Amino acid sequence: LVLLIISVEIGYWIGLKVKVEMTQPMKDQISTIQTAILTIFTFLLGFTFAMALSRFDNRKQMVVKESNAIGSAVLRSQLLPVNQRAKTNELFKEYVNVEFSITSRANIPKEERNKLNREIKRLQNLLWTEAFNATENNPLSVPAGLFATSINQLIDIKTERDIAISNHVPEIVLLGLLLFAALAIAILGYGNGLAATHARYPAVILCIVITLSFILIIDLDRPNRGLTQVSQESMIELMTVINRVSNK
């Protein structure tokens, strides 16, 4: 906001210092340039917002997708021999708790995140070992085959979700858009300076609107850090299902 307000004031100051007689053709030309620049900026802003929104929607879908994959694996594990059910139930319970602690919080310290990811990998290996043992003990067992397939899908979707979480609008795009906004506002102030009419309050309102647009884009692009939250409801419901299955 401060950068934009400074830009409009600098543009206005330069416009005042330039001793040019404002003819009607010149006014039309400056108005055309201002309109063109603001139109391009609006297009770029809308495009960036669409990028952030699509990534936000993808993250929401991946929560449901991963919950469904884990839920299917949990239900199929109930078809395994009795001696494996209790162990897989405990592994699933641990897995969901660790995964939830990773994805439901923002700004997790890098060291802690790496530790939790290593724990996820360990649990994935243990679950795959259970699936391998089930198919090895009974190669013709359909339930064992289905369980192994579910574990494989669970691991694949975890990777997809990690990519979705880390997939942000490139920072160079946001920086370039901010600089373009400052240029557009400066051109607006420059035209006002040439005309020696400083519409300060409308210019400040425009700066506020642009700033709020940037805040919204960043909030969507980096959820769980501000007002925008990716719902973890499906993961919470999954915990309930696992607890219910474990108590049977």
Side-chain angles (χ1 to χ4, degrees), residues 63-64 67-68 70-71 74 96 100 231-245:
V63 174
V64 177
S67 300
N68 289 339
I70 298 173
V74 170
V96 172
F100 183 77
S231 174
Q232 303 292 324
E233 188 64 30
S234 57
M235 292 294 285
I236 296 173
E237 291 178 359
L238 179 61
M239 294 179 185
T240 304
V241 171
I242 294 175
N243 289 330
R244 186 168 63 246
V245 169

mmCIF file of all heavy atoms in Angstrom, residues 63-64 67-68 70-71 74 96 100 231-245:
data_model
loop_
_atom_site.group_PDB
_atom_site.id
_atom_site.type_symbol
_atom_site.label_atom_id
_atom_site.label_comp_id
_atom_site.label_asym_id
_atom_site.label_seq_id
_atom_site.Cartn_x
_atom_site.Cartn_y
_atom_site.Cartn_z
ATOM 1 N N VAL A 63 -7.215 -33.181 -0.146
ATOM 2 C CA VAL A 63 -7.556 -33.611 1.222
ATOM 3 C C VAL A 63 -8.598 -34.728 1.158
ATOM 4 O O VAL A 63 -8.462 -35.768 1.812
ATOM 5 C CB VAL A 63 -8.096 -32.426 2.052
ATOM 6 C CG1 VAL A 63 -8.582 -32.919 3.413
ATOM 7 C CG2 VAL A 63 -7.037 -31.366 2.237
ATOM 8 N N VAL A 64 -9.640 -34.513 0.356
ATOM 9 C CA VAL A 64 -10.709 -35.511 0.221
ATOM 10 C C VAL A 64 -10.163 -36.769 -0.443
ATOM 11 O O VAL A 64 -10.480 -37.899 -0.028
ATOM 12 C CB VAL A 64 -11.880 -34.939 -0.606
ATOM 13 C CG1 VAL A 64 -12.955 -35.991 -0.810
ATOM 14 C CG2 VAL A 64 -12.466 -33.712 0.088
ATOM 15 N N SER A 67 -8.035 -38.701 2.017
ATOM 16 C CA SER A 67 -8.898 -39.295 3.046
ATOM 17 C C SER A 67 -9.617 -40.526 2.509
ATOM 18 O O SER A 67 -9.715 -41.553 3.199
ATOM 19 C CB SER A 67 -9.922 -38.266 3.530
ATOM 20 O OG SER A 67 -9.297 -37.138 4.085
ATOM 21 N N ASN A 68 -10.112 -40.441 1.275
ATOM 22 C CA ASN A 68 -10.796 -41.591 0.666
ATOM 23 C C ASN A 68 -9.844 -42.760 0.466
ATOM 24 O O ASN A 68 -10.211 -43.923 0.679
ATOM 25 C CB ASN A 68 -11.408 -41.183 -0.676
ATOM 26 C CG ASN A 68 -12.610 -40.271 -0.518
ATOM 27 O OD1 ASN A 68 -13.227 -40.233 0.547
ATOM 28 N ND2 ASN A 68 -12.949 -39.538 -1.555
ATOM 29 N N ILE A 70 -7.074 -43.437 2.194
ATOM 30 C CA ILE A 70 -6.761 -44.040 3.494
ATOM 31 C C ILE A 70 -7.968 -44.817 4.010
ATOM 32 O O ILE A 70 -7.829 -45.930 4.543
ATOM 33 C CB ILE A 70 -6.339 -42.959 4.509
ATOM 34 C CG1 ILE A 70 -5.078 -42.249 4.040
ATOM 35 C CG2 ILE A 70 -6.099 -43.585 5.886
ATOM 36 C CD1 ILE A 70 -4.685 -41.055 4.896
ATOM 37 N N GLY A 71 -9.158 -44.244 3.857
ATOM 38 C CA GLY A 71 -10.369 -44.925 4.314
ATOM 39 C C GLY A 71 -10.579 -46.261 3.617
ATOM 40 O O GLY A 71 -10.953 -47.259 4.262
ATOM 41 N N VAL A 74 -8.157 -48.730 5.060
ATOM 42 C CA VAL A 74 -8.570 -49.159 6.400
ATOM 43 C C VAL A 74 -9.657 -50.228 6.312
ATOM 44 O O VAL A 74 -9.601 -51.253 7.000
ATOM 45 C CB VAL A 74 -9.070 -47.950 7.220
ATOM 46 C CG1 VAL A 74 -9.730 -48.412 8.516
ATOM 47 C CG2 VAL A 74 -7.927 -46.995 7.530
ATOM 48 N N VAL A 96 -2.566 -41.293 10.173
ATOM 49 C CA VAL A 96 -3.498 -40.171 10.018
ATOM 50 C C VAL A 96 -3.160 -39.046 10.992
ATOM 51 O O VAL A 96 -3.209 -37.860 10.632
ATOM 52 C CB VAL A 96 -4.951 -40.646 10.219
ATOM 53 C CG1 VAL A 96 -5.906 -39.460 10.244
ATOM 54 C CG2 VAL A 96 -5.346 -41.604 9.103
ATOM 55 N N PHE A 100 -2.132 -35.443 9.622
ATOM 56 C CA PHE A 100 -2.971 -34.308 10.015
ATOM 57 C C PHE A 100 -2.133 -33.206 10.663
ATOM 58 O O PHE A 100 -2.366 -32.017 10.428
ATOM 59 C CB PHE A 100 -4.056 -34.777 10.987
ATOM 60 C CG PHE A 100 -5.019 -33.693 11.391
ATOM 61 C CD1 PHE A 100 -6.029 -33.281 10.535
ATOM 62 C CD2 PHE A 100 -4.902 -33.071 12.627
ATOM 63 C CE1 PHE A 100 -6.909 -32.269 10.900
ATOM 64 C CE2 PHE A 100 -5.783 -32.059 13.002
ATOM 65 C CZ PHE A 100 -6.783 -31.659 12.128
ATOM 66 N N SER A 231 -10.144 -26.907 4.469
ATOM 67 C CA SER A 231 -10.890 -27.724 5.431
ATOM 68 C C SER A 231 -10.261 -29.108 5.580
ATOM 69 O O SER A 231 -9.950 -29.775 4.594
ATOM 70 C CB SER A 231 -12.348 -27.856 4.970
ATOM 71 O OG SER A 231 -13.053 -28.746 5.819
ATOM 72 N N GLN A 232 -10.086 -29.524 6.824
ATOM 73 C CA GLN A 232 -9.550 -30.856 7.133
ATOM 74 C C GLN A 232 -10.650 -31.771 7.676
ATOM 75 O O GLN A 232 -10.368 -32.766 8.334
ATOM 76 C CB GLN A 232 -8.425 -30.729 8.164
ATOM 77 C CG GLN A 232 -7.286 -29.816 7.755
ATOM 78 C CD GLN A 232 -6.472 -30.355 6.611
ATOM 79 O OE1 GLN A 232 -6.266 -31.569 6.508
ATOM 80 N NE2 GLN A 232 -6.001 -29.481 5.742
ATOM 81 N N GLU A 233 -11.906 -31.415 7.377
ATOM 82 C CA GLU A 233 -13.041 -32.141 7.932
ATOM 83 C C GLU A 233 -13.010 -33.618 7.567
ATOM 84 O O GLU A 233 -13.317 -34.483 8.397
ATOM 85 C CB GLU A 233 -14.345 -31.503 7.438
ATOM 86 C CG GLU A 233 -15.595 -32.058 8.099
ATOM 87 C CD GLU A 233 -15.647 -31.771 9.586
ATOM 88 O OE1 GLU A 233 -15.095 -30.738 10.022
ATOM 89 O OE2 GLU A 233 -16.215 -32.594 10.321
ATOM 90 N N SER A 234 -12.634 -33.912 6.319
ATOM 91 C CA SER A 234 -12.630 -35.320 5.888
ATOM 92 C C SER A 234 -11.571 -36.126 6.640
ATOM 93 O O SER A 234 -11.778 -37.311 6.939
ATOM 94 C CB SER A 234 -12.381 -35.420 4.381
ATOM 95 O OG SER A 234 -11.171 -34.790 4.025
ATOM 96 N N MET A 235 -10.439 -35.494 6.983
ATOM 97 C CA MET A 235 -9.418 -36.191 7.761
ATOM 98 C C MET A 235 -9.888 -36.424 9.197
ATOM 99 O O MET A 235 -9.609 -37.472 9.783
ATOM 100 C CB MET A 235 -8.122 -35.369 7.761
ATOM 101 C CG MET A 235 -7.427 -35.280 6.414
ATOM 102 S SD MET A 235 -6.794 -36.874 5.827
ATOM 103 C CE MET A 235 -5.357 -37.067 6.869
ATOM 104 N N ILE A 236 -10.613 -35.455 9.742
ATOM 105 C CA ILE A 236 -11.150 -35.605 11.106
ATOM 106 C C ILE A 236 -12.178 -36.739 11.143
ATOM 107 O O ILE A 236 -12.191 -37.557 12.073
ATOM 108 C CB ILE A 236 -11.778 -34.279 11.572
ATOM 109 C CG1 ILE A 236 -10.701 -33.194 11.678
ATOM 110 C CG2 ILE A 236 -12.483 -34.457 12.918
ATOM 111 C CD1 ILE A 236 -11.231 -31.810 11.968
ATOM 112 N N GLU A 237 -13.041 -36.794 10.126
ATOM 113 C CA GLU A 237 -14.023 -37.875 10.046
ATOM 114 C C GLU A 237 -13.331 -39.219 9.887
ATOM 115 O O GLU A 237 -13.797 -40.240 10.416
ATOM 116 C CB GLU A 237 -14.966 -37.623 8.873
ATOM 117 C CG GLU A 237 -15.900 -36.427 9.078
ATOM 118 C CD GLU A 237 -16.777 -36.174 7.870
ATOM 119 O OE1 GLU A 237 -16.636 -36.916 6.870
ATOM 120 O OE2 GLU A 237 -17.596 -35.231 7.911
ATOM 121 N N LEU A 238 -12.224 -39.229 9.150
ATOM 122 C CA LEU A 238 -11.469 -40.468 8.957
ATOM 123 C C LEU A 238 -10.929 -40.989 10.290
ATOM 124 O O LEU A 238 -10.926 -42.201 10.533
ATOM 125 C CB LEU A 238 -10.325 -40.223 7.971
ATOM 126 C CG LEU A 238 -9.413 -41.412 7.679
ATOM 127 C CD1 LEU A 238 -10.200 -42.569 7.064
ATOM 128 C CD2 LEU A 238 -8.273 -40.992 6.748
ATOM 129 N N MET A 239 -10.467 -40.089 11.143
ATOM 130 C CA MET A 239 -9.994 -40.503 12.472
ATOM 131 C C MET A 239 -11.102 -41.215 13.244
ATOM 132 O O MET A 239 -10.855 -42.224 13.931
ATOM 133 C CB MET A 239 -9.501 -39.280 13.263
ATOM 134 C CG MET A 239 -8.266 -38.615 12.704
ATOM 135 S SD MET A 239 -7.806 -37.167 13.702
ATOM 136 C CE MET A 239 -6.449 -36.508 12.739
ATOM 137 N N THR A 240 -12.316 -40.680 13.125
ATOM 138 C CA THR A 240 -13.458 -41.288 13.807
ATOM 139 C C THR A 240 -13.718 -42.692 13.278
ATOM 140 O O THR A 240 -13.988 -43.632 14.044
ATOM 141 C CB THR A 240 -14.718 -40.419 13.624
ATOM 142 O OG1 THR A 240 -14.452 -39.095 14.092
ATOM 143 C CG2 THR A 240 -15.892 -40.999 14.393
ATOM 144 N N VAL A 241 -13.622 -42.850 11.946
ATOM 145 C CA VAL A 241 -13.844 -44.171 11.331
ATOM 146 C C VAL A 241 -12.794 -45.162 11.810
ATOM 147 O O VAL A 241 -13.133 -46.314 12.152
ATOM 148 C CB VAL A 241 -13.798 -44.040 9.787
ATOM 149 C CG1 VAL A 241 -13.812 -45.427 9.134
ATOM 150 C CG2 VAL A 241 -14.975 -43.224 9.299
ATOM 151 N N ILE A 242 -11.538 -44.726 11.836
ATOM 152 C CA ILE A 242 -10.470 -45.633 12.267
ATOM 153 C C ILE A 242 -10.653 -46.051 13.719
ATOM 154 O O ILE A 242 -10.473 -47.228 14.068
ATOM 155 C CB ILE A 242 -9.083 -44.954 12.068
ATOM 156 C CG1 ILE A 242 -8.819 -44.742 10.577
ATOM 157 C CG2 ILE A 242 -7.977 -45.796 12.682
ATOM 158 C CD1 ILE A 242 -7.534 -43.985 10.295
ATOM 159 N N ASN A 243 -11.022 -45.114 14.568
ATOM 160 C CA ASN A 243 -11.260 -45.445 15.984
ATOM 161 C C ASN A 243 -12.423 -46.416 16.132
ATOM 162 O O ASN A 243 -12.356 -47.342 16.963
ATOM 163 C CB ASN A 243 -11.542 -44.163 16.778
ATOM 164 C CG ASN A 243 -10.308 -43.297 16.950
ATOM 165 O OD1 ASN A 243 -9.182 -43.801 17.006
ATOM 166 N ND2 ASN A 243 -10.503 -41.992 17.019
ATOM 167 N N ARG A 244 -13.468 -46.213 15.319
ATOM 168 C CA ARG A 244 -14.621 -47.108 15.385
ATOM 169 C C ARG A 244 -14.237 -48.520 14.929
ATOM 170 O O ARG A 244 -14.635 -49.511 15.542
ATOM 171 C CB ARG A 244 -15.755 -46.548 14.534
ATOM 172 C CG ARG A 244 -17.052 -47.354 14.671
ATOM 173 C CD ARG A 244 -18.228 -46.647 14.065
ATOM 174 N NE ARG A 244 -18.058 -46.461 12.616
ATOM 175 C CZ ARG A 244 -17.925 -45.278 12.029
ATOM 176 N NH1 ARG A 244 -17.932 -44.164 12.749
ATOM 177 N NH2 ARG A 244 -17.789 -45.194 10.718
ATOM 178 N N VAL A 245 -13.460 -48.597 13.865
ATOM 179 C CA VAL A 245 -13.016 -49.908 13.352
ATOM 180 C C VAL A 245 -12.104 -50.596 14.348
ATOM 181 O O VAL A 245 -12.181 -51.811 14.563
ATOM 182 C CB VAL A 245 -12.309 -49.720 11.976
ATOM 183 C CG1 VAL A 245 -11.611 -51.014 11.570
ATOM 184 C CG2 VAL A 245 -13.305 -49.314 10.915
#
